[in-house]
Amino acid sequence: MSEPIISTVDIVLLIIQEDRLCVTLSNRDKEPYENQDALPGGYIHAQADRDCLDAAVRILQQKTGLLPPYLEQLKTFAGAARDPRGWSISVVYFALVDADLILSATNPGLTICPVDALRRLPFDHNEIIAAAVDRIRNKSQYSSLPCYLAGETFSLPRLQKIYEACLGETLNKVSFRRKMDELGVLETVAGQTESTGAHRPAQLYRLKSEFKNQLKLLVRGL
Amino acid sequence: MSEPIISTVDIVLLIIQEDRLCVTLSNRDKEPYENQDALPGGYIHAQADRDCLDAAVRILQQKTGLLPPYLEQLKTFAGAARDPRGWSISVVYFALVDADLILSATNPGLTICPVDALRRLPFDHNEIIAAAVDRIRNKSQYSSLPCYLAGETFSLPRLQKIYEACLGETLNKVSFRRKMDELGVLETVAGQTESTGAHRPAQLYRLKSEFKNQLKLLVRGL
DNA sequence: TCAAGTTAGTTACATTATGCAACTAACAAA
DNA sequence: TTTGTTAGTTGCATAATGTAACTAACTTGA
């Protein structure tokens, strides 16, 4: 039979702040590591949660008060050594959301930290965040994933900055615009604005409604 | 606190047989679904297994008697509805191995079945296998993953057939050979052989030793 | 011994994708 | 109305990819 194993869900909630990829940490209100910042997480409730995604949505709601437009299972971290309480399983999800939604929520226990400037975190949370960054970096190469880090509407120059933050490298402007065009997930919005200064204002775009909650992959032959 | 949750590991062991992608099923020796074919799996032993990978290796060894050259975590399937015993978590791995290794093992409880000709399986195992096929199809587009389905040595025409079985489409010969060359994971082996008929024999290749157990990804800019 | 059949592997070229530099456009501020 | 700054486009050089047609190496059978 199965031994008693601690079963939890943790969430890597990523946002863009000042053109940098950042993770949202939550101050722990219980032992172990009470009062330290760590990934938002919690126990799976076999009574309340129909599946893991349910648990992730519930926990995210409790800790941050929001339902992100993008939520995907990342990986499961398990073993005897990762939690002082003993053998544990953590099913980890990663979520993408517009930074403004978090900042406007003003949840007191939350901290935002750039993923490349993290200090040592409890459990194996540094390793988990590294896996999430790997995943988003990989998917950003051929998908519209980073769009979920932008708000409802955004300019292409801003979206390019977001892609660059995800990928950790600068991109060519013309190539980027061509690629977004051929992905076909964006549409212009009538009023253009985003006039942030003494220069030509940028056209605003939004995700086409049919892509509001899914990935469009660009399939490329071998 | 956490409720008691059944914690298991299941494995999608993929091989190529007659140029088709096939999955290895194991006859269940216990309830539920006793005597039916399903994915090889078993309970996590908190005492014996240091982590999930440990458990996967142990279970694979028990059920098939082999250690595959490639083993990667696929996804975790969990919920109240997937197992008649109640709320369960299954951390699923997928493994790739040369078909000859399985066929020579002659483990009596094993069945090989093409992934596109599966009947209804116990639990959510059809869904799990579909996820594994998705993953390998995706990774086959830009990595050397399918090489682990070939044996120690293989010809390029045979490797191309394997890639085609993984991707579910035919490939261009010249493009395929160019891509394998630029991936840089293969080396020729002196004696060429694989003369299977009245025609020119094919050069044999093998994975360079530094790639025997890892993926070489071709990074492609956005 | 040599022609026919079959698969392996290469070459040459057309087509498409990508990267870059230089351009024009649209605004604010002075 | 000139200047500075960012948005967006155009044209072209270079690189990647797909295709057809080739040559190479073998076995078999006349």
Side-chain angles (χ1 to χ4, degrees):
Chain A
M1 275 315 241
S2 65
E3 284 84 12
I5 289 177
I6 299 166
S7 302
T8 62
V9 166
D10 288 312
I11 294 156
V12 183
L13 177 58
L14 298 172
I15 64 173
I16 297 288
Q17 202 169 44
E18 290 167 10
D19 294 336
R20 298 174 79 181
L21 189 61
C22 298
V23 63
T24 307
L25 301 176
S26 172
N27 197 265
R28 291 181 60 82
D29 55 9
K30 284 203 281 272
E31 286 294 341
Y33 303 112
E34 186 171 355
N35 233 26
Q36 291 190 43
D37 288 337
L39 292 176
Y43 292 115
I44 292 172
H45 292 331
Q47 277 76 30
D49 306 318
R50 280 165 34 106
D51 55 31
C52 271
L53 186 61
D54 262 17
V57 169
R58 173 180 57 77
I59 289 165
L60 199 51
Q61 179 78 42
Q62 286 172 358
K63 303 269 179 180
T64 70
L66 50 82
L67 290 178
Y70 191 81
L71 188 61
E72 173 187 319
Q73 190 181 309
L74 172 63
K75 195 179 169 183
T76 294
F77 294 77
R82 58 182 299 279
D83 190 313
R85 289 164 289 185
W87 227 100
S88 66
I89 290 183
S90 172
V91 182
V92 179
Y93 283 76
F94 81 93
L96 305 182
V97 72
D98 173 26
D100 292 342
L101 289 182
I102 290 192
L103 301 178
S104 65
T106 62
N107 199 313
L110 298 182
T111 310
I112 312 290
C113 187
V115 294
D116 52 6
L118 285 169
R119 66 191 167 297
R120 184 91 197 89
L121 296 177
F123 307 106
D124 49 2
H125 287 188
N126 290 88
E127 188 190 342
I128 292 177
I129 292 168
V133 172
D134 265 8
R135 174 78 63 91
I136 195 177
R137 193 156 288 185
N138 214 323
K139 287 208 169 180
S140 296
Q141 286 177 348
Y142 56 90
S143 81
S144 57
L145 192 59
C147 295
Y148 297 102
L149 290 165
E152 264 299 302
T153 65
F154 44 84
S155 69
L156 284 184
R158 171 160 149 70
L159 187 61
Q160 183 174 346
K161 290 279 189 190
I162 293 174
Y163 266 84
E164 289 172 342
C166 292
L167 290 166
E169 63 182 358
T170 60
L171 297 173
N172 177 274
K173 180 171 57 165
V174 179
S175 301
F176 175 75
R177 299 173 82 97
R178 255 196 302 239
K179 199 53 90 179
M180 291 314 297
D181 182 50
E182 114 193 18
L183 269 175
V185 299
L186 300 183
E187 62 186 10
T188 60
V189 29
Q192 80 245 13
T193 8
E194 177 148 304
S195 29
T196 50
H199 53 80
R200 177 174 177 174
Q203 172 67 253
L204 283 182
Y205 292 80
R206 65 173 156 237
L207 270 181
K208 287 180 187 170
S209 58
E210 62 261 43
F211 301 113
K212 278 282 170 62
N213 224 340
Q214 77 186 77
L215 281 178
K216 172 76 179 295
L217 300 181
L218 222 202
V219 181
R220 303 164 91 166
L222 178 78
Chain B
M1 273 315 234
S2 66
E3 284 82 13
I5 290 178
I6 301 166
S7 302
T8 62
V9 166
D10 289 311
I11 294 156
V12 183
L13 177 57
L14 298 172
I15 64 172
I16 298 288
Q17 201 168 45
E18 291 167 9
D19 294 338
R20 298 174 78 182
L21 188 63
C22 298
V23 64
T24 308
L25 301 176
S26 172
N27 197 264
R28 289 181 62 82
D29 56 8
K30 286 203 280 275
E31 285 293 343
Y33 304 111
E34 185 171 355
N35 233 28
Q36 292 188 42
D37 289 337
L39 292 177
Y43 292 113
I44 293 172
H45 293 331
Q47 276 77 31
D49 306 318
R50 280 164 35 104
D51 55 31
C52 271
L53 187 62
D54 262 17
V57 169
R58 174 180 56 76
I59 290 166
L60 200 52
Q61 178 79 43
Q62 286 172 357
K63 302 270 179 179
T64 70
L66 50 83
L67 289 179
Y70 189 81
L71 188 61
E72 172 187 318
Q73 190 182 312
L74 173 63
K75 195 180 169 184
T76 295
F77 293 77
R82 57 183 299 279
D83 189 313
R85 290 165 290 186
W87 228 100
S88 66
I89 290 183
S90 171
V91 183
V92 179
Y93 282 76
F94 82 95
L96 305 182
V97 71
D98 174 26
D100 292 342
L101 290 182
I102 289 193
L103 301 177
S104 65
T106 63
N107 199 312
L110 298 182
T111 311
I112 312 289
C113 187
V115 294
D116 52 6
L118 285 169
R119 66 192 167 297
R120 185 90 197 89
L121 297 176
F123 308 106
D124 49 1
H125 286 188
N126 291 88
E127 189 191 341
I128 291 177
I129 293 168
V133 172
D134 265 8
R135 174 78 64 92
I136 194 176
R137 192 156 288 185
N138 214 324
K139 286 208 169 179
S140 296
Q141 288 178 346
Y142 55 92
S143 81
S144 58
L145 191 60
C147 295
Y148 297 102
L149 291 165
E152 264 299 303
T153 65
F154 45 84
S155 68
L156 284 184
R158 172 160 148 67
L159 188 60
Q160 184 174 344
K161 290 277 190 192
I162 292 173
Y163 266 84
E164 289 172 342
C166 292
L167 290 166
E169 64 182 358
T170 60
L171 297 173
N172 178 273
K173 180 172 57 165
V174 179
S175 301
F176 175 75
R177 298 172 84 96
R178 256 194 303 238
K179 198 56 86 178
M180 290 315 297
D181 182 50
E182 116 193 18
L183 268 176
V185 300
L186 301 183
E187 63 186 9
T188 58
V189 28
Q192 80 241 16
T193 7
E194 176 147 305
S195 29
T196 50
H199 54 81
R200 176 174 176 173
Q203 173 67 253
L204 283 182
Y205 292 81
R206 66 175 155 235
L207 268 181
K208 288 180 186 167
S209 58
E210 63 261 44
F211 300 113
K212 277 285 169 62
N213 226 339
Q214 76 185 77
L215 282 178
K216 172 76 178 295
L217 300 181
L218 222 202
V219 180
R220 304 164 91 166
L222 178 77

